[in-house]
Amino acid sequence: MSLLAAGVLSAAEVNVYSARQENLIKPILDQFSEQTGITVNLITGGADELITRMDLEGANSPADILLTVDVGRLHRAKEMGLLQSVDSDVLMSSIPEQYRDSDNQWFSVSLRSRVIVYDKDRVDPGELSTYEDLADPKWDGKICIRSSSNIYNQSLTASLVSHNGVEATEEWARGLVSNMARSPQGGDRDQIAAVAIGQCELAVVNTYYLAGMLNATSDDQLEQAQAVDVFWPNQDGRGAHINVSGAGVSEHAPNRAEAVQLLEFMVSDEAQTWYAEANNEYPIRTDVPVSATLESWGEFKADPLALEQLGIHNAEAVRLMDRADWR
């Protein structure tokens, strides 16, 4: 009997569909395997691609966990019936309420903020204040930002819809577009580089991209990152916009118990410390220290908005961005 049990244990596995780049998630999955003996089968791809794949696979999907880098995609997967509720004391006690789904179908495992970075030499940070202020004509021709197709910008806009309503947010988007120094292009690192070389004076980026550049082995990336500084928006009001990487258990997970075990591992001391130190993301748990780079930026007030609101307002956000000619 013991030999049979050992055989069953050794065969334990969990299948992860991940929208994170392999190098940003595989090390922690390897640690999970080493500690538990559970094999992790990792499939990576774009979030939309993986969600579509799960939908097409239906009840035959091998996916146990969907891991994405934005709450909007997790909400979409939930709305499509691709996730299931998980009752876990570990997850409930470790993850603040606003960072998990109200039906317990998805859970955040790390945090990032979408902030303003500015040219140290050309911008007085005293002139900066809020996301809303980016629509002010004083920033005409001075802002770089990614495309409206980027989920991070969609979620930022969705947060503004939640706080200010559709009409005010559309007016903001039109003002932002009119202040762009160039047509949206490239990723967040490209926006930082554009500020560094003088194409614009401000950019809107996720914190971990700048932190990664500050810790890069590339002299060019380091030099570009050192040319800018971080400004935390809306500190006199609701606080800076927050987004997450997060995960949920598939509706048809063939290895449900192992999937829940992996989710719980992701909020452990070891995993949360890895997210902080290796990825320069903010831990979901407040008792885990941030990296030295993030610590150097100081403490900030975070928007307490329940993150499921970003998914709820995503479609409205995309439509108004289109109407504002945000390409």
Side-chain angles (χ1 to χ4, degrees):
M1 182 66 70
S2 61
L3 288 176
L4 176 60
V8 171
L9 180 63
S10 67
E13 63 179 6
V14 61
N15 303 311
V16 177
Y17 281 18
S18 173
R20 298 216 74 163
Q21 296 177 21
E22 183 171 332
N23 64 306
L24 296 179
I25 190 60
K26 192 172 187 302
I28 201 64
L29 299 180
D30 290 343
Q31 290 182 35
F32 172 75
S33 294
E34 290 171 9
Q35 291 189 17
T36 64
I38 298 171
T39 299
V40 179
N41 302 311
L42 179 63
I43 295 175
T44 59
D48 289 335
E49 169 195 347
L50 294 173
I51 290 171
T52 299
R53 177 171 175 171
M54 288 173 65
D55 189 37
L56 292 173
E57 290 169 341
N60 296 318
S61 177
D64 294 305
I65 284 182
L66 173 67
L67 179 67
T68 79
V69 291
D70 181 276
V71 72
R73 295 297 186 253
L74 291 168
H75 180 81
R76 180 182 172 214
K78 175 189 175 181
E79 290 294 292
M80 293 173 65
L82 300 178
L83 304 178
Q84 62 173 280
S85 297
V86 172
D87 184 13
S88 163
D89 290 340
V90 171
L91 297 175
M92 298 300 177
S93 62
S94 299
I95 303 172
E97 185 177 3
Q98 70 265 34
Y99 299 140
R100 47 185 162 87
D101 175 52
S102 58
D103 296 319
N104 300 325
Q105 291 196 22
W106 55 258
F107 302 87
S108 304
V109 296
S110 65
L111 306 175
R112 71 287 299 271
S113 183
R114 196 149 184 79
V115 297
I116 299 169
V117 297
Y118 62 93
D119 186 311
K120 291 179 180 178
D121 295 330
R122 294 186 293 161
V123 176
D124 175 3
E127 293 293 309
L128 296 165
S129 58
T130 63
Y131 297 106
E132 288 86 345
D133 181 63
L134 294 176
D136 191 295
K138 70 184 179 184
W139 302 117
D140 182 30
K142 297 180 178 180
I143 297 175
C144 285
I145 192 167
R146 288 170 79 159
S147 165
S148 63
S149 64
N150 172 247
I151 188 64
Y152 305 139
N153 285 337
Q154 292 176 11
S155 288
L156 172 61
T157 304
S159 76
L160 289 166
V161 171
S162 183
H163 286 297
N164 302 330
V166 174
E167 185 177 343
T169 304
E170 183 172 340
E171 183 179 353
W172 166 81
R174 291 184 186 280
L176 177 66
V177 169
S178 70
N179 287 341
M180 290 181 186
R182 62 178 188 178
S183 298
Q185 55 192 270
D188 279 11
R189 289 184 180 88
D190 297 304
Q191 313 313 313
I192 295 167
V195 174
I197 64 175
Q199 289 187 351
C200 41
E201 296 183 11
L202 307 177
V204 181
V205 301
N206 284 356
T207 44
Y208 65 91
Y209 285 111
L210 178 59
M213 291 175 71
L214 287 168
N215 291 279
T217 56
S218 163
D219 290 339
D220 286 345
Q221 284 199 35
L222 178 59
E223 184 178 350
Q224 290 165 356
Q226 289 176 335
V228 307
D229 209 346
V230 170
F231 182 83
W232 300 103
N234 298 78
Q235 293 303 283
D236 292 332
R238 65 182 178 271
H241 170 65
I242 296 294
N243 210 323
V244 302
S245 67
V249 175
S250 168
E251 169 65 18
H252 303 291
N255 304 290
R256 186 183 190 280
E258 291 80 4
V260 174
Q261 192 172 346
L262 176 54
L263 275 184
E264 291 177 343
F265 177 77
M266 287 181 171
V267 298
S268 67
D269 290 353
E270 183 176 6
Q272 288 292 294
T273 299
W274 181 83
Y275 273 114
E277 295 294 337
N279 284 3
N280 281 292
E281 294 177 85
Y282 288 91
I284 196 70
R285 285 175 37 194
T286 57
D287 60 335
V288 176
V290 301
S291 70
T293 300
L294 300 190
E295 186 176 20
S296 72
W297 297 339
E299 296 184 357
F300 68 97
K301 180 180 180 180
D303 186 347
L305 181 71
L307 292 193
E308 65 182 354
Q309 293 298 314
L310 306 185
I312 290 170
H313 294 295
N314 177 268
E316 291 174 302
V318 171
R319 286 193 293 268
L320 76 83
M321 293 165 91
D322 286 344
R323 293 195 298 269
D325 292 325
W326 185 343
R327 301 308 181 201

